[in-house]
Amino acid sequence: MVVDERRREYLRLLGVEALEPRDDGPLAPSPAPSPAAAPSPAAGLSPAAGPSAGPVAGPCAGDDWEALARRVRSCTACDLAATRTQTVFGVGDHGARWMLIGEAPGAEEDRQGLPFVGRAGQLLTSMVRATGWSRDQVFIANILKCRPPNNRDPRPEEVAHCEGYLHRQVALLRPAVILCLGRIAAQNLLKVEAPLKALRGRTHSYGPAGTPVVVTFHPAYLLRNPADKRRAWEDLRLVLRLLEEAGERAGA
Ligand code: URA
């Protein structure tokens, strides 16, 4: 794969260029991750207990994108409806093969109605660009569609009310790969309680279609811990490998 100057620049911004072997280039497929090379249930990781484990067919099961967006906009299923400025549905290409899932909107996202538009979002955009893909070629959503006050962690009942929307987004999109951003997003999506370090470096599976899921650091964490950007790059390489296995290449 040809690596153009712009992508080199994004890699440089991520601080990963020095890591790359000279002979195969920064975007060559990564070696098979260990221990799981193929999508699998999270072996060795305990699913969280509770009735909401696993995606469920909710009232939005038949919605198209427009109906789903309308339903989310008018949602009052939990208390977050009272404190949000607006809902944050998600953004991107409805034909995207790569989906990114974060935790919940922050202050700037609540203000703009778009996911990942604050500082963490800028880093996320650079991460995507470093792979050779662009932000408008992917679809970005969150576990929660509304901002929790003071950016506190999502509560189980909020996740339970909201996850039908995300599940429908995944069903409509049918992505080849999901990249989960951070521990909270991963634990809630995969219904596991394992720490991030146990979730990274392997391929998980989501939903009835068994969509491959890769877990990486939340970009807000990476802003505070830039040394881990190198590890995040390993996760992105796993995403690229899965996309390539699915026959998907960056269009630009
Ligand atoms: N953090 C998230 O998890 N999601 C956003 O949309 C913004 C920040």
Side-chain angles (χ1 to χ4, degrees):
M1 183 182 285
V2 175
V3 182
D4 65 24
E5 278 314 307
R6 210 161 35 157
R7 281 160 63 190
R8 279 192 198 285
E9 176 61 11
Y10 284 108
L11 280 167
R12 196 189 57 72
L13 285 173
L14 286 185
V16 295
E17 62 181 350
L19 274 186
E20 302 307 328
R22 275 193 206 124
D23 52 352
D24 67 359
L27 299 179
S30 61
S34 176
S40 67
L45 306 170
S46 320
S52 68
V56 287
C60 55
D63 284 2
D64 61 13
W65 282 107
E66 210 179 307
L68 186 63
R70 250 195 329 267
R71 194 187 288 277
V72 167
R73 250 193 323 270
S74 60
C75 182
T76 54
C78 78
D79 289 348
L80 297 180
T83 52
R84 73 181 180 222
T85 304
Q86 58 191 312
T87 57
V88 178
F89 179 75
V91 72
D93 182 353
H94 289 174
R97 309 299 291 127
W98 177 8
M99 182 175 193
L100 294 91
I101 300 178
E103 178 182 327
E108 194 54 31
E109 290 76 19
D110 175 71
R111 205 176 64 75
Q112 294 192 34
L114 293 167
F116 284 100
V117 286
R119 275 188 71 222
Q122 287 164 20
L123 176 57
L124 184 65
T125 301
S126 291
M127 290 165 69
V128 171
R129 296 299 300 262
T131 65
W133 292 66
S134 67
R135 192 174 153 119
D136 54 16
Q137 288 178 311
V138 302
F139 192 89
I140 305 176
N142 281 306
I143 298 285
L144 292 189
K145 308 301 186 214
C146 296
R147 182 191 182 208
N150 304 314
N151 299 340
R152 63 158 169 74
D153 289 354
R155 293 185 174 143
E157 66 274 17
E158 293 160 356
V159 174
H161 283 302
C162 223
E163 65 189 354
Y165 302 141
L166 182 64
H167 179 51
R168 185 63 192 153
Q169 287 177 312
V170 175
L172 285 168
L173 206 58
R174 293 192 290 132
V177 182
I178 293 173
L179 178 64
C180 218
L181 303 161
R183 176 182 63 85
I184 303 272
Q187 289 178 338
N188 281 294
L189 186 78
L190 300 170
K191 303 297 175 198
V192 295
E193 291 170 345
L196 188 78
K197 67 172 188 264
L199 297 171
R200 288 187 50 252
R202 51 179 293 133
T203 307
H204 306 265
S205 169
Y206 174 78
T211 308
V213 177
V214 174
V215 177
T216 193
F217 302 97
H218 194 284
Y221 165 88
L222 291 173
L223 287 172
R224 296 189 304 271
N225 300 275
D228 275 334
K229 286 181 184 173
R230 292 169 176 230
R231 293 205 178 91
W233 178 240
E234 290 163 18
D235 303 331
L236 291 171
R237 287 178 61 151
L238 175 52
V239 168
L240 285 176
R241 184 171 148 259
L242 292 167
L243 286 167
E244 285 196 7
E245 280 174 11
E248 305 295 339
R249 283 177 183 276

